[in-house]
Amino acid sequence: MGLEYLGKVDKYSILEVIILAAQSLKTIDKDYLLEISHMQYTLHFLESLNLGETKYMSMLDSIRQKNVTEIRQTALAAGIEEELIEILCQIPFLYGEMESTLERAEKMALNDEMIEDIKELQEYCRAVESLGYGKNIQLDLSMVNDIDYYNGIIFRGYIRNLPGCVLAGGQ
């Protein structure tokens, strides 16, 4: 079973879906975890590196798998400078508590698009905190789902004592 939002998708509707996800998880277990990401942050990073399609897709897979060795090898093969490789290798570890993760992501941003992605994500974080859901929500900017389907905010939900994701979705 899933949820499909019909109509104009705006910031309010995205927030509404995030809150619905949090409420659904909380109904099952008050000790849930909802991870949120903004896919465009990582995609804008990779686009700024001007990788060919094969290396771009390989890099995305390596980031999804949090495979730093493969990220480094692909970046070296693409001729990316060492300073950028070091930043790129931090993306798989760009997760955790909302405020500190946003601060780290902002320091890693290479362009204005990435800064805008962080600002947008920050708006959602402030909203979920003000609604009382902040303690159960973390960010994971290495979460990059199907780029042919998703293009913005994405999320995954977890319940304690269950081995995997029990809820997932996004824009």
Side-chain angles (χ1 to χ4, degrees):
M1 181 182 275
L3 166 76
E4 207 57 47
Y5 190 91
L6 302 175
K8 182 181 180 206
V9 176
D10 57 13
K11 288 182 180 181
Y12 179 81
S13 60
I14 294 168
L15 177 62
E16 192 172 32
V17 171
I18 292 170
I19 296 303
L20 180 59
Q23 289 172 339
S24 299
L25 292 167
K26 187 176 181 179
T27 299
I28 299 167
D29 185 348
K30 290 184 183 351
D31 195 24
Y32 67 92
L33 172 65
L34 182 63
E35 290 182 325
I36 301 173
S37 183
H38 195 317
M39 281 195 32
Q40 291 300 315
Y41 178 84
T42 300
L43 297 180
H44 284 138
F45 190 108
L46 294 180
E47 288 166 8
S48 73
L49 300 176
N50 296 315
L51 302 168
E53 186 176 343
T54 303
K55 286 186 175 67
Y56 181 88
M57 297 308 288
S58 175
M59 193 67 77
L60 274 177
D61 287 338
S62 299
I63 289 170
R64 281 184 193 112
Q65 297 168 14
K66 299 185 185 297
N67 186 338
V68 177
T69 302
E70 193 65 35
I71 291 169
R72 180 173 294 284
Q73 289 174 350
T74 302
L76 287 170
I80 297 172
E81 60 188 71
E82 188 61 36
E83 181 181 324
L84 290 176
I85 293 174
E86 290 306 315
I87 296 170
L88 187 57
C89 287
Q90 292 176 42
I91 289 179
F93 307 103
L94 198 49
Y95 61 85
E97 182 271 326
M98 290 185 284
E99 195 60 39
S100 64
T101 304
L102 287 168
E103 287 173 11
R104 289 186 295 142
E106 191 169 14
K107 289 177 185 172
M108 292 169 55
L110 300 179
N111 55 51
D112 292 338
E113 293 170 314
M114 293 173 73
I115 295 292
E116 287 303 312
D117 298 333
I118 292 303
K119 286 180 181 177
E120 182 181 353
L121 192 52
Q122 195 169 40
E123 288 179 43
Y124 294 116
C125 291
R126 286 184 182 138
V128 296
E129 280 187 310
S130 72
L131 294 169
Y133 294 96
K135 77 177 189 94
N136 294 81
I137 295 179
Q138 292 186 357
L139 301 181
D140 183 352
L141 291 169
S142 70
M143 187 177 14
V144 184
N145 293 349
D146 182 357
I147 62 174
D148 292 328
Y149 188 75
Y150 295 105
N151 64 3
I153 301 296
I154 56 175
F155 52 86
R156 287 190 296 222
Y158 301 89
I159 300 296
R160 189 198 326 231
N161 298 326
L162 291 179
C165 171
V166 297
L167 177 148
Q171 175 187 7

